[in-house]
Amino acid sequence: MKQERHELGKSSEDYLESILRIIREKGACRPTDIAELMNFSKPSVSVALKKLEEEGYIHREDWRIQLTEAGKQAAAQTFEKHEFFRQLFESIGIAPEVAEEEACSVEHVISEDSFHKMQAHWGKKQGV
C-alpha cells in the first residue's frame, strides 16, 4: 500500500510552522524573526520565502509575512503533529529537549493516515 506523500518538503514545512509560531507569539512575522527563530541567514530566509510565495503559501505586505489559506492549513497540520509527538514523547519520559528535536523529525515523515490513527489511539490512552 502506497503511503501518502507530502506536497511540501521538510524545509518548507519548517518555514511555515515557524511563521505560524511567530504570528501566534508576536501577532506579526518579519523575515528577521524567521532568521532568528530558525538560526538561518537573512539571505537564506529570503530565498525560501520567495519560493513559498511563488507556490502560494505566503504573501507579503510591506515587511509583514502572511500565510495564505493553503499556508495556514499546511502550517497547522505540521504544528499539530509536532505538538502531539512532543507531548507524547515527554509523557513517556523523554527529556523535553530531546522530545522537541525528535518531534521535529517525526512530524515530516509520518503520513496523515498514520498520524491520525496514532492520535486516535494514544490520544485516548495518554490524554495527549
Side-chain angles (χ1 to χ4, degrees):
M1 184 171 168
K2 187 176 178 180
Q3 290 291 317
E4 179 182 338
R5 301 305 260 161
H6 292 280
E7 292 179 21
L8 291 169
K10 178 187 182 312
S11 177
S12 293
E13 287 180 343
D14 283 341
Y15 273 98
L16 293 172
E17 182 182 6
S18 294
I19 293 166
L20 178 67
R21 287 175 182 261
I22 293 164
I23 290 171
R24 287 182 176 177
E25 181 183 319
K26 297 183 176 186
C29 180
R30 303 170 299 157
T32 54
D33 297 325
I34 298 167
E36 289 173 13
L37 178 65
M38 298 181 78
N39 201 27
F40 290 161
S41 71
K42 290 178 188 175
S44 294
V45 170
S46 181
V47 169
L49 292 177
K50 182 177 182 193
K51 179 181 178 223
L52 290 171
E53 189 169 29
E54 289 171 355
E55 294 174 347
Y57 291 102
I58 66 165
H59 63 87
R60 300 182 208 200
E61 292 180 16
D62 299 320
W63 55 269
R64 192 174 308 197
I65 299 164
Q66 304 276 335
L67 293 167
T68 62
E69 284 306 312
K72 287 177 188 175
Q73 183 179 354
Q77 286 175 338
T78 304
F79 182 75
E80 179 184 21
K81 289 177 188 176
H82 182 97
E83 287 302 299
F84 172 80
F85 285 109
R86 183 188 59 75
Q87 291 173 17
L88 176 64
F89 294 159
E90 286 183 14
S91 76
I92 61 173
I94 296 173
E97 306 79 35
V98 176
E100 177 71 26
E101 184 178 316
E102 292 182 356
C104 192
S105 296
V106 173
E107 73 191 28
H108 300 293
V109 296
I110 191 165
S111 71
E112 288 297 318
D113 183 56
S114 295
F115 170 65
H116 290 298
K117 287 177 180 170
M118 289 182 71
Q119 190 178 40
H121 178 79
W122 272 299
K124 290 176 192 169
K125 290 185 174 193
Q126 302 292 326
V128 173

